[in-house]
């Protein structure tokens, strides 16, 4: 279709001093998709998300969201435009209660967000059971659920997820991914980065493979799962 993608990244270059982390990344995320960016440690996945959400300023290239350039737009303004980034390490406040963390997700809202709160409780019953507990006392999986729940309170149109499965037990990973698919089915577009390529490709519509700051492959997630190159390099197949 000729519909403008919700997110379009073009020729993005980002460096940290002398280190060039991204060497010209181009990708698109269309309304309604789950797109995943997979790649080894250090390939540049986190850097890509940080540049999209305005946490890092690129050296060159373009990022447009909802048809407008967002280069130089401060991260908190992106929240107002409903582009929400759940960072690596989750970014929750360990000394605050679960409920306080959740409500922070809605801090820019002036409308009644009770329905969204109830939806988070439905998606993550564990979070609801632990509302009065400090976030730091929760398990890693519960903290990840809280981080995603908090993001939902900002009513994301585009949700950027940085390694939601990192360090979690396989059963919790299944839960998290099933909720990610559910969030997508109810209308939120998702850009997901993962080292767990298998899980990511099983849930995504499309994927990009990042290696040393460049996209080396992209396509339909199902086709990539079946490709020998991806299987050998990223799925541990022989
Ligand atoms: P990981 O899964 O380990 O986070 P990644 O694919 O997300 O890997 P990035 O974190 O984006 O990769 O890192 C890309 C490159 O940039 C790496 O070479 C990394 O060492 C470098 N890098 C990342 N952050 C910084 C920083 N703050 N200062 C200097 N170099 C950095």
């Amino acid at each position: 279709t000729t519909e403008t993608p919700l997110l379009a990244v073009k020729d993005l270059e980002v460096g940290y001093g002398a280190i060039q982390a991204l060497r010209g990344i181009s990708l698109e995320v269309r309304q309604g998709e789950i797109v995943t960016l997979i790649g080894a440690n250090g390939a540049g996945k986190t850097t890509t998300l940080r540049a999209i959400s305005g946490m890092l300023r690129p050296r060159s290239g373009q990022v447009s969201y909802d048809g407008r350039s967002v280069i130089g737009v401060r991260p908190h303004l992106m929240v107002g435009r409903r582009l929400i980034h759940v960072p690596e390490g989750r970014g929750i406040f360990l000394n605050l209660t679960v409920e306080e963390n959740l409500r922070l997700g809605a801090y820019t809202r002036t409308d009644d967000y009770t329905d969204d709160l109830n939806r988070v409780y439905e998606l993550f019953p564990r979070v609801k059971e632990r509302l009065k507990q400090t976030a730091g006392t929760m398990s890693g999986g519960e903290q990840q659920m809280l981080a995603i729940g908090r993001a939902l309170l900002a009513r994301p149109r585009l949700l950027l997820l940085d390694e939601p499965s990192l360090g979690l037990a396989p059963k919790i990973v299944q839960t998290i991914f099933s909720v990610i698919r559910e969030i997508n089915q109810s209308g939120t577009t998702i850009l997901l980065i993962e080292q767990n390529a298998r899980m990511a490709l099983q849930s995504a519509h499309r994927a990009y493979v990042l290696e040393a700051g460049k996209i080396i492959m992209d396509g339909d997630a199902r086709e990539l799962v079946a490709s020998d190159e991806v299987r050998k390099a990223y799925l541990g197949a022989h």
Side-chain angles (χ1 to χ4, degrees):
T1 66
T2 54
E3 197 189 332
T4 311
L6 185 57
L7 178 75
V9 172
K10 202 158 184 294
D11 303 325
L12 192 67
E13 297 194 19
V14 177
Y16 299 99
I19 297 166
Q20 193 172 356
L22 301 185
R23 303 164 183 272
I25 300 273
S26 299
L27 59 84
E28 285 185 2
V29 183
R30 301 173 204 132
Q31 185 87 47
E33 281 189 309
I34 300 180
V35 170
T36 186
L37 187 58
I38 60 173
N41 246 315
K45 304 182 298 296
T46 296
T47 303
T48 303
L49 287 201
R50 292 173 64 88
I52 292 169
S53 63
M55 287 156 73
L56 278 176
R57 202 182 172 109
R59 279 204 182 131
S60 60
Q62 283 128 42
V63 177
S64 62
Y65 168 67
D66 201 15
R68 286 191 289 168
S69 170
V70 292
I71 297 287
V73 175
R74 310 279 307 192
H76 69 277
L77 295 176
M78 301 298 275
V79 173
R81 290 171 64 179
R82 296 164 58 193
L83 186 158
I84 310 300
H85 185 169
V86 179
E88 200 172 23
R90 308 167 189 132
I92 64 178
F93 297 94
L94 300 178
N95 297 325
L96 298 185
T97 66
V98 169
E99 186 172 11
E100 286 163 344
N101 269 281
L102 275 180
R103 290 190 186 277
L104 279 174
Y107 83 102
T108 56
R109 296 179 62 172
T110 51
D111 60 331
D112 178 10
Y113 56 86
T114 314
D115 287 351
D116 293 315
L117 216 42
N118 286 330
R119 175 147 176 271
V120 171
Y121 299 156
E122 262 168 50
L123 290 171
F124 298 116
R126 294 249 216 133
V127 167
K128 188 182 181 185
E129 287 162 19
R130 286 163 171 73
L131 288 178
K132 303 297 174 199
Q133 204 170 308
T134 53
T137 62
M138 298 212 298
S139 72
E142 291 160 357
Q143 289 182 19
Q144 185 62 62
M145 293 174 192
L146 174 58
I148 294 174
R150 185 179 62 181
L152 292 180
L153 285 172
R155 289 188 308 148
R157 286 188 69 198
L158 177 62
L159 190 57
L160 308 180
L161 297 174
D162 193 337
E163 300 237 21
S165 78
L166 191 70
L168 306 184
K171 209 175 152 204
I172 311 281
V173 173
Q174 295 285 352
T175 306
I176 300 266
F177 271 88
S178 104
V179 171
I180 289 171
R181 289 189 295 266
E182 208 172 322
I183 291 168
N184 172 253
Q185 274 154 19
S186 43
T188 299
T189 304
I190 295 174
L191 175 59
L192 164 74
I193 71 177
E194 264 297 336
Q195 278 193 63
N196 188 338
R198 190 180 300 275
M199 277 308 299
L201 291 172
Q202 278 169 5
S203 302
H205 301 101
R206 287 189 308 114
Y208 291 86
V209 182
L210 193 58
E211 203 174 283
K214 286 191 165 170
I215 304 285
I216 56 157
M217 234 186 297
D218 73 275
D220 189 89
R222 271 167 230 265
E223 283 166 22
L224 287 177
V225 170
S227 102
D228 278 348
E229 204 178 339
V230 169
R231 290 169 64 83
K232 276 190 198 128
Y234 300 100
L235 302 178
H238 302 286

